[in-house]
Amino acid sequence: MKAVVYSPNPENPQLARAIRRLERDVLRMGALVEQSFRLSHQALFSRNLTAAEELPRLDKKIDRFYRQIESECTSIMTLQAPTAQDLRCLSAFMQLVRDLERIGDYAKDLAEIAVKIFPYPPHSSLPEIAVMAHHAQAMLATSLVALADLDEAGGRSIKHLDDAVDNAYDHLYETLAQQRDVQGVVEPIILLALAIRCLERMADHATNIGQRVAYIVTGQRS
């Protein structure tokens, strides 16, 4: 079925402008989340603790965007008499920024894991976990491009990319859980298990964003 691309109601230009501003703010928030993901990657895989120190500051900015966008969506819904199409877009934005906010939280968690694991020698699974992280970052980037372009097909395609992350998670979890002859403390293994869980959840939220973009465009939920 051919998608009908969403466009704000032209008969209410004030509302149309408000929704366009909201979309720009969501994309700005998304850029901050992408940056936080990149920094967490540097912290964990390049052992860059300076990058880890940046995450709390970025997370506060992301949280401010989240509260602002949610508040503006609620205000528009209650005060500007949006059409059903507009309501669909606003409700999707409110859910979408929640996904972005959660990805930002997981990025901060990864940075905290990087700090805790720093004193230990690098684990043999780190290169494979780094590949998993690259896949999850690519999913986030793809979801934000789909939002910027209101690309239904791009939004739906992310669900297929999630399979690679899920498979990596299953394999890595099994590898970490079945590790034998562990010398010394087991904290590094526990921390890496937490890290791959964070990455798996980040990929899930990126998938959600893609699905919400498709909903904005078509009005149909997957």
Side-chain angles (χ1 to χ4, degrees):
M1 183 183 70
K2 183 176 175 59
V4 180
V5 176
Y6 168 77
S7 179
N9 185 357
E11 296 179 5
N12 190 339
Q14 181 181 355
L15 176 58
R17 286 194 297 272
I19 291 177
R20 291 302 185 207
R21 280 196 303 271
L22 272 173
E23 184 179 12
R24 287 194 294 270
D25 283 344
V26 172
L27 290 170
R28 290 189 185 105
M29 180 182 176
L32 288 176
V33 173
E34 281 194 289
Q35 184 183 357
S36 70
F37 204 156
R38 284 193 299 270
L39 287 171
S40 70
H41 188 103
Q42 293 170 21
L44 186 57
F45 302 109
S46 300
R47 300 169 71 85
N48 183 344
L49 297 189
T50 301
E53 291 170 358
E54 286 290 306
L55 265 296
R57 179 184 62 82
L58 268 179
D59 190 58
K60 288 180 181 177
K61 287 186 176 182
I62 291 166
D63 287 346
R64 282 198 295 271
F65 261 116
Y66 170 59
R67 291 191 295 269
Q68 171 202 325
I69 293 167
E70 189 174 58
S71 175
E72 289 181 6
C73 285
T74 302
S75 177
I76 292 171
M77 286 177 174
T78 54
L79 299 177
Q80 296 204 35
T83 65
Q85 266 197 333
D86 296 328
L87 284 171
R88 183 175 87 210
C89 183
L90 292 166
S91 65
F93 280 169
M94 291 178 75
Q95 296 173 69
L96 193 152
V97 294
R98 178 59 178 162
D99 287 308
L100 284 173
E101 191 267 342
R102 292 300 297 137
I103 294 173
D105 284 345
Y106 284 121
K108 188 174 71 168
D109 290 344
L110 285 174
E112 292 172 357
I113 289 169
V115 172
K116 291 177 181 177
I117 208 169
F118 183 82
Y120 300 103
H123 192 275
S124 59
S125 293
L126 271 177
E128 193 173 351
I129 298 174
V131 172
M132 181 184 179
H134 278 303
H135 280 305
Q137 288 179 75
M139 290 173 64
L140 174 60
T142 302
S143 72
L144 292 173
V145 170
L147 175 62
D149 297 340
L150 286 179
D151 177 6
E152 178 212 356
R156 294 197 189 280
S157 72
I158 299 164
K159 194 167 186 178
H160 301 295
L161 301 175
D162 192 41
D163 291 341
V165 175
D166 287 342
N167 292 336
Y169 173 79
D170 291 341
H171 172 70
L172 284 161
Y173 182 86
E174 194 69 19
T175 298
L176 295 170
Q178 299 298 325
Q179 188 167 336
R180 298 283 192 268
D181 302 322
V182 177
Q183 296 182 355
V185 296
V186 298
E187 184 180 29
I189 296 172
I190 295 171
L191 290 171
L192 289 177
L194 292 172
I196 63 172
R197 179 58 176 163
C198 288
L199 291 169
E200 191 267 339
R201 293 300 297 137
M202 293 164 101
D204 285 346
H205 285 291
T207 301
N208 289 347
I209 293 169
Q211 297 300 304
R212 300 193 202 293
V213 171
Y215 174 67
I216 291 172
V217 176
T218 67
Q220 295 181 339
R221 298 190 183 276
S222 299

